[in-house]
Amino acid sequence: MKVLTACANGSGTSLMLMRTAKKTLEKMGFNITQCDHTSVSEAKGTARNYDVVFTSLPFVKMFKDVTDRGGEVIGIKNVMSQQEVEEKVKASDLEKKFLNK
Amino acid sequence: MLRYFLENGLINITDKHPQNWEEAIRISGEIMKKNNLVTDEYIDQVIADVKKYGPYIVIVPGVAMPHSSAENSGVLGTGIGFTIMPNTVSFEEGNPEKDARLFFMLAAKDHDTHVKNISKLADMLMEDGMVEDLKKVKNMDDYHEVMAKHNM
């Protein structure tokens, strides 16, 4: 599974979030083949190359184009919370799509 | 990571009371300027980013990570400066989840070093009781005590 994390400028929060997301997803059994972090403006263009985009909650609305095309965008309030990432991944289609659950 | 701040002169337990988040970000930039990591141009951009995007730099309640684009010309080096404020700073009125007391300002000239720094910072903040213990730090003696307690 290819994972992208995004925040305003792609160098702080998205990096923190990438770490949390990667740890959580691996613990849940996902096979991460690629994991990148970037800015929201860049991510809107590159999101189609990824299976899921994690971003800070206030930025979710900026990914409307991506979600309209059926892309998976997950907003996270606390970028260090593995528990929140796990809950939101469970509420998404990711387990069905990638773990055949 | 607590040792990193100490050994690199990147810890500032300040007695300046910021009146608002903007002032707090400026204070958190002082230790960065002292170490030639950033200029005022970068700090101005950090403040402009928060005005534009909201207080997303408060990564967990109590902890702010002020930063802006690594490409900003006010970024001179790579490092994290840690400032402990004497009072809690509100980033969003009526929302205590966006209050902060511990400020970690980032500068990321060198990407690889920055990635390592962030990992270490995340590990540190995830230690049980760490954020609560650091919020109580009022002087360097307290800081050394937290270092000893968490062996960091």
Side-chain angles (χ1 to χ4, degrees), chain B residues 131-146:
Chain B
V131 170
E132 285 316 305
D133 287 344
L134 285 174
K135 276 195 213 164
K136 289 179 208 138
V137 167
K138 291 196 170 56
N139 51 51
M140 281 318 288
D141 286 344
D142 294 348
Y143 188 81
H144 281 281
E145 247 174 63
V146 178

Side-chain angles (χ1 to χ4, degrees), chain A residues 74-93:
Chain A
I74 297 179
I76 300 292
K77 194 167 82 179
N78 177 343
V79 297
M80 289 205 341
S81 170
Q82 297 193 25
Q83 192 193 335
E84 187 185 353
V85 171
E86 183 168 344
E87 280 167 12
K88 290 191 170 159
V89 168
K90 280 190 169 150
S92 75
D93 286 335

Side-chain angles (χ1 to χ4, degrees), chain B residues 66-91:
Chain B
H67 63 283
S68 185
S69 169
E71 274 96 63
N72 185 288
S73 55
V75 179
L76 307 177
T78 305
I80 304 179
F82 178 23
T83 305
I84 303 176
M85 301 293 168
N87 56 297
T88 299
V89 181
S90 167
F91 277 76

Side-chain angles (χ1 to χ4, degrees), chain A residues 23-52:
Chain A
K23 270 195 173 176
T24 312
L25 291 167
E26 281 172 350
K27 211 171 67 190
M28 293 176 78
F30 288 95
N31 177 23
I32 315 283
T33 51
Q34 194 182 343
C35 205
D36 296 307
H37 64 98
T38 186
S39 64
V40 169
S41 52
E42 195 115 329
K44 283 193 280 189
T46 55
R48 63 167 62 94
N49 304 321
Y50 294 86
D51 299 305
V52 57

